[in-house]
Amino acid sequence: MTHFTKLFHLSLVKSIVIASALFTASFAGADDSQALQLAQTSDGFNAEEKYMASCFACHSTGAAGAPKVEPGVYDAEWAERMEKGMEAVMQNVINGINAMPARGLCFDCNDADLQALVDYMISSSQ
Ligand code: HEC
């Protein structure tokens, strides 16, 4: 009984998270296919592989002022950037900013892939 209640809660929380993600997407004027893209990474997407292929070249060395990705640098490299909120950070990733190219040059990454890459970079910097 308690186990069932727990499971029920978990799936309820999950649906709320998905529903609010979809709501945010449609609120921003995205059509259904974009909303789906936001919610789902591409087939076969692997954050570590994509990071190595698209983002590593700049973000491992900190080239041109890119925030570095390596264990222990979060406070120095990421904390201040994240203060403006994930949404603003993702706008910079999608549109590019200064020497950061639009979509980090990953043109087969959808928005959910880019979000997963940023999550990967942040957790790899903790
Ligand atoms: C050509 C070099 C280059 C590549 C490739 C690159 N970046 Fe960046 N990135 C930068 C630089 C430089 C900045 C700092 C821009 C600034 O704030 O002036 C940056 C900043 C960022 C930020 C912080 C944005 C913010 O709002 O502070 C994120 C997140 C990020 N990159 C993600 C990625 C991801 C994900 C990829 C791969 C898909 C990627 N980058 C590929 C150079 C690069």
Side-chain angles (χ1 to χ4, degrees), residues 19-66:
S20 58
L22 289 177
F23 176 76
T24 314
S26 44
F27 190 71
D31 64 30
D32 284 356
S33 64
Q34 279 174 320
L36 267 180
Q37 268 203 349
L38 273 180
Q40 213 168 28
T41 52
S42 311
D43 282 351
F45 175 81
N46 177 300
E48 188 175 1
E49 279 172 16
K50 270 289 181 213
Y51 168 75
M52 292 308 289
S54 275
C55 324
F56 172 86
C58 298
H59 284 274
S60 65
T61 59

Side-chain angles (χ1 to χ4, degrees), residues 54-55 58-59 63-67 78 81 84 88-89 92-93 97-101 103-106 114 117-118 121:
S54 275
C55 324
C58 298
H59 284 274
W78 290 93
R81 292 178 176 277
K84 60 185 174 284
V89 168
N92 290 339
V93 171
I97 176 172
N98 301 323
M100 163 72 191
R103 308 191 83 82
L105 298 180
C106 184
L114 291 172
L117 284 168
V118 172
M121 289 162 74

